């Protein structure tokens, strides 16, 4: 009886191994499951103001045998006019005085490079707005098929120094902290959360 049971176990294991071997899986980037959140800072004490962009367009290779390959060639465009802080009046000022300080289309484009493979790692985020370009070091962590990317962007590197000054002047009193100084910081924290789908045949 023991021999019979052992044979059954071996047959079952063999069948499972064949199914695994025959499984043909790819990873596909899912742009519908991508969000970009940002945190700007005001006051000398650096109080955060959170928001997001509602319009993100992604192009480039989005399918690969590995989840790393499914995201490393991605190129994206963010419509700056889709900025959303949850306060319409503030959003209007950001569009007009901040992003509006740069001539040309209002798209922020970007790619990733130097991506380290692993469940946690680092990469470079290459951004362009108007004629300005900047590279931002970012870190990422995979949680299954979901990846979270975080970094800090200096908006001066994107040619937005004038926009920062104009926005702070327009919102002078609103940016005064407990010390009475009006301040809008040039650094913005960003967080991208995205998903790849595992598709097996």
């Amino acid at each position: 009886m023991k021999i019979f049971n052992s044979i059954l176990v071996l047959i079952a294991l063999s069948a499972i191994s064949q199914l695994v071997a025959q499984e043909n899986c790819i990873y596909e980037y899912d742009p519908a499951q991508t969000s970009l959140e940002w945190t700007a800072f005001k006051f000398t004490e650096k109080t955060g103001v959170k928001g997001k962009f509602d319009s993100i367009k992604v192009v480039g290779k989005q399918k690969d045998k590995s989840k790393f390959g499914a995201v490393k060639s991605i190129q994206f465009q963010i419509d700056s006019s889709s900025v959303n802080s949850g306060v319409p009046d503030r959003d209007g000022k950001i569009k007009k005085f901040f992003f509006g300080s740069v001539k040309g289309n209002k798209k922020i484009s970007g790619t990733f490079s130097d991506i380290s493979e692993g469940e946690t790692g680092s990469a470079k985020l290459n951004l362009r707005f108007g004629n300005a370009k900047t590279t931002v070091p970012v870190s990422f962590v995979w949680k299954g098929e979901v990846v979270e990317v975080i970094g800090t962007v200096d908006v001066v590197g994107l040619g937005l120094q004038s926009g920062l000054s104009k926005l702070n002047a327009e919102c002078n009193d609103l940016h005064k902290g407990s010390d009475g100084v009006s301040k809008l910081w040039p650094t913005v924290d960003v967080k991208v959360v995205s998903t790849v789908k595992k598709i097996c045949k």
Side-chain angles (χ1 to χ4, degrees):
M1 189 68 177
K2 289 183 179 179
I3 295 175
F4 179 72
N5 287 337
S6 297
I7 291 172
L8 287 178
V9 169
L10 288 172
I11 292 173
L13 289 173
S14 176
I16 292 171
S17 297
Q18 288 179 10
L19 285 173
V20 171
Q22 291 172 0
E23 188 179 50
N24 183 17
C25 299
I26 62 168
Y27 289 88
E28 180 177 4
Y29 170 75
D30 187 358
Q33 297 297 318
T34 298
S35 65
L36 191 158
E37 301 172 356
W38 51 263
T39 304
F41 300 95
K42 62 181 180 178
F43 307 155
T44 301
E45 49 264 49
K46 207 171 184 181
T47 299
V49 176
K50 294 183 178 295
K52 60 181 181 177
F53 289 100
D54 291 330
S55 177
I56 305 173
K57 180 181 179 181
V58 178
V59 297
K61 182 182 178 183
Q62 298 172 34
K63 295 181 181 180
D64 197 82
K65 292 182 179 179
S66 75
K67 58 187 179 183
F68 304 102
V71 298
K72 69 180 182 180
S73 299
I74 283 174
Q75 302 173 38
F76 62 86
Q77 280 193 345
I78 301 167
D79 185 350
S80 64
S81 67
S82 73
V83 64
N84 182 356
S85 68
V87 181
D89 181 59
R90 178 166 59 204
D91 294 340
K93 291 176 180 178
I94 293 173
K95 295 173 194 177
K96 180 178 179 181
F97 297 102
F98 185 62
F99 291 119
S101 66
V102 176
K103 295 181 179 180
N105 74 58
K106 303 305 176 185
K107 309 292 185 183
I108 304 169
S109 59
T111 59
F112 289 98
S113 61
D114 297 340
I115 304 172
S116 60
E117 290 198 12
E119 294 304 301
T120 61
S122 62
K124 291 181 180 177
L125 172 58
N126 309 299
L127 294 172
R128 179 170 185 165
F129 186 60
N131 294 321
K133 298 179 182 179
T134 189
T135 297
V136 180
V138 296
S139 60
F140 65 83
V141 57
W142 284 93
K143 299 178 179 179
E145 294 171 12
V146 177
V147 62
E148 294 183 2
V149 182
I150 59 172
T152 300
V153 178
D154 187 334
V155 300
V156 175
L158 283 176
L160 286 163
Q161 176 64 62
S162 174
L164 190 73
S165 299
K166 289 179 180 178
L167 181 60
N168 196 48
E170 179 65 21
C171 304
N172 183 68
D173 291 335
L174 295 173
H175 292 166
K176 286 182 179 178
S178 58
D179 58 2
V181 175
S182 181
K183 184 174 182 64
L184 184 59
W185 292 75
T187 51
V188 177
D189 289 349
V190 294
K191 178 182 179 181
V192 180
V193 180
S194 194
T195 302
V196 293
K197 296 182 292 187
K198 186 178 182 181
I199 303 171
C200 298
K201 298 179 180 180

